[in-house]
Amino acid sequence: MTPTAAPTGLVVMGVSGCGKSTVARLAAERLGWEMDEADDFHPPQNVARMARGVPLTDHDRLPWLTALRDRMSARADGGRSTVLACSALKRSYRDLLRGARCRVRFVFLDGTPQAVAERLAGRSGHFMPASLLESQFADLEPLAGDEDGVTVALTGAPEEITGEALGRLGLLAPPPA
């Protein structure tokens, strides 16, 4: 278990293809928390837009972000912490997520456009086409100094990135036996 007494929502954020889902899954396993994949909360019309290569607008994202905030709140209301893999590209999106009834913290997975494009090229079976990566970087607002979170470079293996993030946040659970 984690040294955190009150429920926490840990949002692993960044552009498509940066490894959010992998790091979120590893963090959830290490912490013993539940994990949600934000992509599973997109309404069908959003998925269809992205699959056609059409970037989502802030208006398109509002109900999706609200559902994610409410999911973290529901878990927190039950005394449970959660890990969420979510792009959370803009500060306004993170501000909305911070409205959850728990302490919301962020892990920003920071990589260069070239490095992320290489990762995306090796991914299959996802509705988000690589053609939207440029629009994601255009929308990206990295974590500011007053936001509760850490920025971790995409320079190591997912296990190393996860360990660094959890350690820097003070959430590092003991290694599995």
Side-chain angles (χ1 to χ4, degrees):
M1 221 23 96
T2 166
T4 304
T8 297
L10 182 64
V11 180
V12 180
M13 58 164 286
V15 297
S16 183
C18 71
K20 295 181 298 291
S21 298
T22 301
V23 170
R25 181 181 43 77
L26 290 169
E29 289 171 4
R30 297 263 313 258
L31 295 168
W33 296 359
E34 296 173 88
M35 185 245 178
D36 284 310
E37 171 56 65
D39 287 344
D40 295 341
F41 289 75
H42 273 297
Q45 61 270 26
N46 283 7
V47 173
R49 282 178 62 98
M50 289 183 284
R52 290 192 315 269
V54 178
L56 297 180
T57 65
D58 290 351
H59 179 76
D60 295 328
R61 288 186 178 100
L62 183 60
W64 171 68
L65 291 163
T66 300
L68 296 170
R69 179 203 60 206
D70 293 350
R71 174 67 162 207
M72 286 191 291
S73 289
R75 290 238 173 98
D77 290 348
R80 301 183 323 268
S81 292
T82 191
V83 179
L84 173 65
C86 176
S87 55
L89 297 175
K90 294 183 180 181
R91 178 160 186 148
S92 62
Y93 304 166
R94 296 189 296 273
D95 288 345
L96 193 150
L97 293 172
R98 264 192 294 277
R101 292 182 298 276
C102 60
R103 180 178 183 186
V104 179
R105 306 184 79 191
F106 297 92
V107 173
F108 170 40
L109 301 180
D110 188 21
T112 65
Q114 180 182 359
V116 176
E118 289 171 10
R119 287 170 167 259
L120 264 178
R123 183 168 82 172
S124 63
H126 194 275
F127 61 81
M128 181 76 156
S131 63
L132 288 179
L133 186 58
E134 187 176 327
S135 72
Q136 291 225 320
F137 273 103
D139 281 350
L140 178 62
E141 296 172 3
L143 284 179
D146 64 336
E147 293 185 272
D148 188 358
V150 296
T151 298
V152 181
L154 295 178
T155 55
E159 294 80 6
E160 295 168 328
I161 292 168
T162 305
E164 178 182 344
L166 296 178
R168 288 178 51 206
L169 289 169
L171 295 173
L172 193 57

